[in-house]
């Protein structure tokens, strides 16, 4: 919704598509927010830059960064007056052709601004958009948890969700999660189903720590609306400190499920802190591994601790 929400009295939005049409509903929703769509997927960087320059663009927003499918060679030719980065690459680009990066004071505190080659434009709230948080349809379907059996989730257990891409789970963090399972026999760790080899390795690591196989619950990816309802069935979301959950944190907050994070020094390690501060959940941001584990222990040990946190989040939604 980010494109669609721009003030059309002040802006004309042209979307430059770098990838062929995959027919997805998500792509259509994004592009419907633009006044005009230009397909650059079949031309080289030089031709793409000439097209953008011919369109007389005032501000070019890079949503590719250095990720798969990105085309930094286009922006390197400086086809627009000003060039900004946002959301695409959770670090400084180090690129002289990017003038500004959109962040916020939590995601990039004063101590980190010098690490960016770009000038930091710090938004007053969070730099991470979550337009669907304002949708009554999403909120109504997610705040009331669905039936756990509909999603093959164990009944009668407290569910600690960590539905992150597997590469974000470092050994020390996984060991901390296993420690929580060891201390709280009524808890199950819910993980996103990954490649079979990755699941075998995680299960083996857990077994070596004395955690039974049924304490790990691997679940498949789901369409977004169903994913949010499943998240609402969980009791606590555990963030990954080395590379935070961005979209996954936003999803959990919209679903009404508390999120616990450990804020680091880099933008990728402070995405969740940014969202939690914006959601009035600053007390769920920890600064050391010891504090992260202690806060989780307190939430799981104090009677009504998680329920009170959920109620505060629902009020802030």
């Amino acid at each position: 919704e980010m494109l669609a929400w721009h003030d059309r009295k002040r802006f004309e939005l042209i979307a430059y598509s770098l990838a062929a049409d995959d027919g997805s509903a998500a792509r259509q929703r994004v592009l419907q927010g633009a006044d005009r769509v230009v397909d650059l997927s079949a031309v080289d960087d030089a031709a793409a830059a000439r097209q953008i320059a011919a369109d007389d663009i005032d501000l070019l927003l890079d949503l590719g960064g250095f990720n798969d499918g990105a085309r930094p060679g286009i922006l390197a030719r400086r086809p627009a007056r000003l060039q900004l980065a946002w959301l695409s690459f959770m670090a400084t680009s180090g690129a002289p052709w990017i003038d500004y990066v959109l962040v916020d004071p939590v995601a990039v505190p004063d101590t980190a601004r010098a690490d960016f080659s770009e000038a930091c434009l710090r938004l007053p709230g969070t730099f991470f958009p979550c337009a669907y948080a304002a949708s009554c349809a999403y909120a109504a379907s997610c705040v009331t948890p669905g039936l756990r059996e509909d999603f093959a989730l164990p009944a009668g257990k407290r569910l600690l969700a960590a539905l992150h891409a597997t590469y974000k789970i470092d050994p020390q963090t996984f060991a901390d999660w296993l420690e929580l399972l060891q201390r709280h026999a009524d808890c199950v760790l819910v993980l996103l189903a990954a490649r079979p080899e990755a699941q075998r390795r995680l299960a083996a690591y857990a077994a070596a720590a004395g955690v039974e196989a049924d304490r790990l619950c691997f679940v498949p990816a789901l369409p977004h609306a169903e994913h949010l309802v499943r998240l609402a069935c969980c009791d606590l979301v555990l963030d990954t400190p080395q590379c935070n959950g961005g979209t996954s944190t936003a999803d959990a907050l919209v679903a009404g499920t508390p999120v616990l994070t450990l804020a680091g020094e880099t933008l990728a390690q402070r995405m969740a802190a940014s969202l939690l501060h914006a959601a009035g959940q600053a007390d769920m941001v920890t600064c050391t591994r010891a504090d992260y584990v202690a806060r989780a222990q307190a939430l799981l040990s104090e009677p009504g601790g998680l329920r009170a946190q959920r109620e505060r989040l629902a009020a802030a939604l």
Side-chain angles (χ1 to χ4, degrees):
E1 292 87 346
M2 182 269 289
L3 296 182
W5 282 15
H6 278 72
D7 183 354
R8 289 309 199 273
K9 294 180 180 178
R10 301 177 61 199
F11 297 99
E12 177 189 6
L13 272 74
I14 302 175
Y16 294 102
S17 174
L18 304 182
D21 189 351
D22 62 357
S24 68
R27 176 188 172 91
Q28 293 305 312
R29 283 200 303 273
V30 171
L31 296 184
Q32 284 169 3
D35 297 304
R36 182 157 62 93
V37 178
V38 178
D39 184 0
L40 300 179
S41 62
V43 301
D44 63 19
D45 291 352
R50 287 195 297 271
Q51 173 66 62
I52 295 171
D55 288 335
D56 196 26
I57 297 299
D58 295 297
L59 188 155
L60 186 61
L61 184 62
D62 179 26
L63 293 173
F66 295 118
N67 296 311
D68 290 346
R71 302 273 297 277
I74 298 174
L75 285 95
R77 290 169 166 81
R78 279 206 163 268
R81 294 176 180 82
L82 282 177
Q83 302 187 161
L84 286 76
W86 183 35
L87 290 177
S88 55
F89 191 66
M90 294 302 166
T92 180
S93 68
W97 56 81
I98 300 293
D99 303 303
Y100 297 95
V101 60
L102 290 176
V103 289
D104 65 63
V106 174
V108 179
D110 289 339
T111 54
R113 291 181 73 171
D115 297 330
F116 282 76
S117 61
E118 308 89 349
C120 293
L121 293 177
R122 296 198 292 181
L123 302 174
T126 176
F127 79 104
F128 205 102
C130 185
Y132 56 93
S135 167
C136 294
Y138 272 106
S141 66
C142 300
V143 172
T144 302
L147 296 174
R148 288 185 172 186
E149 51 265 33
D150 291 346
F151 300 102
L153 296 172
K157 300 287 185 180
R158 289 189 293 178
L159 303 182
L160 309 180
L163 302 177
H164 307 281
T166 314
Y167 73 84
K168 292 187 177 186
I169 304 175
D170 66 277
Q172 186 58 68
T173 297
F174 192 59
D176 291 339
W177 296 347
L178 295 179
E179 180 183 341
L180 295 176
L181 295 183
Q182 291 166 333
R183 293 193 182 188
H184 302 276
D186 63 334
C187 288
V188 169
L189 182 63
V190 183
L191 299 163
L192 195 62
R195 295 179 179 178
E197 177 64 14
Q199 287 187 207
R200 285 194 295 269
R201 287 176 178 268
L202 288 171
Y205 196 100
V211 174
E212 300 86 350
D214 62 357
R215 306 289 301 285
L216 302 184
C217 178
F218 291 96
V219 297
L222 290 175
H224 194 227
E226 294 176 48
H227 168 65
L228 292 179
V229 177
R230 182 173 63 187
L231 271 172
C233 295
C234 298
D235 297 285
L236 176 66
V237 169
L238 299 170
D239 192 26
T240 42
Q242 293 300 326
C243 182
N244 286 177
T247 301
S248 58
T249 298
D251 285 346
L253 296 177
V254 172
T257 303
V259 178
L260 178 66
T261 191
L262 166 54
E265 297 180 355
T266 70
L267 176 56
Q269 296 171 340
R270 300 184 66 84
M271 289 187 289
S274 170
L275 281 159
L276 286 167
H277 274 267
Q281 301 277 296
D283 63 324
M284 296 294 279
V285 179
T286 62
C287 296
T288 68
R289 179 178 150 249
D291 288 342
Y292 176 81
V293 174
R295 183 72 172 115
Q297 294 284 11
L299 287 165
L300 295 171
S301 300
E302 295 171 4
L306 283 174
R307 183 173 64 254
Q309 200 71 34
R310 185 182 285 270
E311 291 170 354
R312 287 181 51 237
L313 179 55
L317 187 57

